Amino acid sequence: MAKSKFPKDRGLTARMGLTVFLLGLVYVIFIAVLLMLKLSLSLIAVVAFGILFVQYFFSDKIALASMKGKIVTREEEPQLHALVDRLCALANMPKPKVAVARNDMPNAFATGRNPSNSVVCATTGLMRRLNEQELEAVLAHELSHVAHRDVAVMTIASFLGMVAGFLTRIELWTGGGIGGGGNRRGNGNNNQGNAGMLILVVSVVVYAVSFLITRALSRYRELSADRSGAILIGRPSNLKSALIKITGEMGRIPTRDLRRASAFNSFYFAPAISPNSMSGLFSTHPSLEKRIAQLDKLERDLMQ
């Protein structure tokens, strides 16, 4: 397959490589601790391979189902397909599946393990609020994620935190019930309790580390997709207009709907939060001001 015409981002490539390396190292240590505590090998196998396999190969289906998205045909959404067709031709990349989520929240996301197995989804709220040029800019941003393969990296990166959170919940629900091993006589209960507490502590630490690492990558990849998408269409101002419009509309979405969608913020074009919410280390996206400043600079550079 020919290379995509989306501009390369060596900074993104380096950060993705570093993220995978660091999370892989943490993952190996995590599994080593589970082995040291003599947990069931079948449980460790499920943790180590089963969940990753499902998440990696079925992430697109899981994401669509979670966000109530549906693959649509050209007859059902001719404008959306036409825009994706044009952008894929410009970018020289395979066309992903096209989906629509019947949701009034204005947003879009891309998912899938590679450009040949990917989905780009827009909400009905997004298509209703944006004009054709703005919608094209948002889709270009999402296709950039697919072309740069950062969607797959984010899927893998989020896996470790999911496993750590899963084990943490089990430990809390069972009171240390999965922390087996150790001597079953005399102080066996103490050994089991200590093992359970160690699993809980390690799981919390692993979750915290993976959370911060993936958040840092998420913020950078959004800036990278803004740059690449704007360069592809040649009009950064269209993406800027879409960003401003979507961010303003987020304040009109009911809080309960934003809270329900916030679990998928790392994959959205714009975070499902009200304006002026908490940012910084815990944010999945750079600030609106930072994204606009980058697009303004890019607009000036392209005009010269």
Side-chain angles (χ1 to χ4, degrees):
M1 185 185 70
K3 290 185 178 180
S4 164
K5 291 184 180 178
F6 277 107
K8 291 182 179 180
D9 190 325
R10 290 185 174 84
L12 177 62
T13 301
R15 283 168 173 80
M16 289 194 298
L18 180 61
T19 297
V20 171
F21 172 77
L22 291 176
L23 289 176
L25 180 62
V26 173
Y27 185 50
V28 169
I29 294 172
F30 187 42
I31 296 300
V33 170
L34 297 183
L35 289 171
M36 181 185 71
L37 294 173
K38 300 179 181 179
L39 261 65
S40 164
L41 290 178
S42 59
L43 174 62
I44 294 176
V46 169
V47 170
F49 303 109
I51 299 177
L52 178 60
F53 176 86
V54 171
Q55 189 174 15
Y56 183 72
F57 286 98
F58 298 96
S59 61
D60 53 342
K61 295 178 177 60
I62 294 172
L64 278 179
S66 301
M67 300 179 204
K68 296 180 172 58
K70 176 181 176 292
I71 303 295
V72 293
T73 64
R74 190 182 302 276
E75 290 71 25
E76 291 172 311
E77 292 292 343
Q79 181 196 27
L80 196 59
H81 270 274
L83 289 174
V84 174
D85 284 337
R86 177 176 179 273
L87 291 169
C88 288
L90 281 175
N92 192 33
M93 64 180 290
K95 182 183 178 181
K97 295 183 180 70
V98 178
V100 170
R102 305 294 169 183
N103 190 323
D104 192 51
M105 182 179 65
N107 231 318
F109 66 91
T111 184
R113 61 184 183 274
N114 56 47
S116 299
N117 296 274
S118 59
V119 179
V120 171
C121 181
T123 66
T124 51
L126 182 79
M127 295 188 291
R128 181 171 65 83
R129 289 175 172 88
L130 301 188
N131 62 37
E132 185 172 318
Q133 291 75 30
E134 293 166 340
L135 180 58
E136 181 183 57
V138 172
L139 293 173
H141 170 107
E142 295 303 328
L143 288 172
S144 172
H145 284 312
V146 174
H148 288 154
R149 298 175 184 265
D150 58 68
V151 175
V153 173
M154 284 298 295
T155 298
I156 296 171
S158 63
F159 156 75
L160 184 59
M162 184 183 73
V163 170
F166 173 71
L167 288 181
T168 299
R169 290 188 184 93
I170 289 181
E171 282 298 314
L172 292 174
W173 290 338
T174 63
I178 66 171
N183 187 358
R184 293 183 180 275
R185 300 177 184 175
N187 64 345
N189 289 337
N190 288 337
N191 287 342
Q192 185 175 10
N194 291 337
M197 181 58 66
L198 182 57
I199 291 175
L200 180 60
V201 171
V202 171
S203 297
V204 169
V205 171
V206 168
Y207 179 82
V209 171
S210 64
F211 179 89
L212 293 175
I213 291 175
T214 54
R215 287 298 190 273
L217 175 61
S218 179
R219 289 191 296 274
Y220 186 89
R221 83 184 191 108
E222 293 303 328
L223 288 174
S224 176
D226 282 350
R227 284 194 300 271
S228 297
I231 290 172
L232 182 72
I233 61 175
R235 291 298 303 272
S237 59
N238 289 345
L239 188 56
K240 173 184 172 180
S241 175
L243 267 171
I244 294 172
K245 191 176 290 186
I246 290 170
T247 303
E249 288 293 323
M250 283 297 180
R252 304 173 185 270
I253 303 299
T255 302
R256 66 178 183 277
D257 293 337
L258 293 177
R259 193 178 297 119
R260 191 180 303 122
S262 63
F264 302 97
N265 274 346
S266 293
F267 295 93
Y268 280 139
F269 170 73
I273 56 176
S274 298
N276 303 319
S277 295
M278 182 184 297
S279 59
L281 285 175
F282 304 107
S283 176
T284 56
H285 290 63
S287 66
L288 177 64
E289 292 76 18
K290 191 170 185 178
R291 296 177 78 174
I292 288 176
Q294 176 183 244
L295 292 170
D296 283 341
K297 182 180 182 302
L298 190 56
E299 183 84 24
R300 292 192 297 269
D301 292 343
L302 292 177
M303 293 293 289
Q304 292 177 356

